[in-house]
Amino acid sequence: RYPRASVLAGTLVACYVMTALSTGLGIVLPKLLSQKAVHVCATVLYLFFGLRLIWTGIKGGEDPEEEFEEAEDKLKESASNSKKGVLRRFFSR
């Protein structure tokens, strides 16, 4: 669908940017906020994301039948691709 090189480059750049941002925030924020404020913020965030994960687990995602059908379609597609030659598969992307 998209060229592999551009997907890899975009992924690596995103990882580098996120690493730099998180490192910068990890150094700067504790100096700007008190230890107690950092602890309270961390507690609130952990609680929020934990409850959100629990809610998502209870509510459920997609219908299991839809997921099963989607998995079957992907398997059929990959099976048809495996019948093609290596060069044909490479240039069909």
Side-chain angles (χ1 to χ4, degrees), residues 28-87:
V28 171
L29 277 182
K31 291 180 180 178
L32 295 177
L33 302 172
S34 69
Q35 179 124 9
K36 183 171 175 116
V38 171
H39 180 72
V40 168
C41 287
T43 303
V44 168
L45 287 172
Y46 280 126
L47 185 64
F48 170 74
F49 286 113
L51 290 174
R52 193 173 127 210
L53 277 172
I54 291 171
W55 173 255
T56 304
I58 290 172
K59 187 176 103 176
E62 295 180 14
D63 182 29
E65 280 297 318
E66 289 178 23
E67 290 185 29
F68 185 70
E69 289 171 6
E70 185 178 330
E72 279 184 333
D73 292 341
K74 290 279 186 186
L75 286 172
K76 288 176 186 175
E77 181 181 313
S78 66
S80 68
N81 281 342
S82 65
K83 293 177 184 175
K84 296 179 183 178
V86 174
L87 287 176

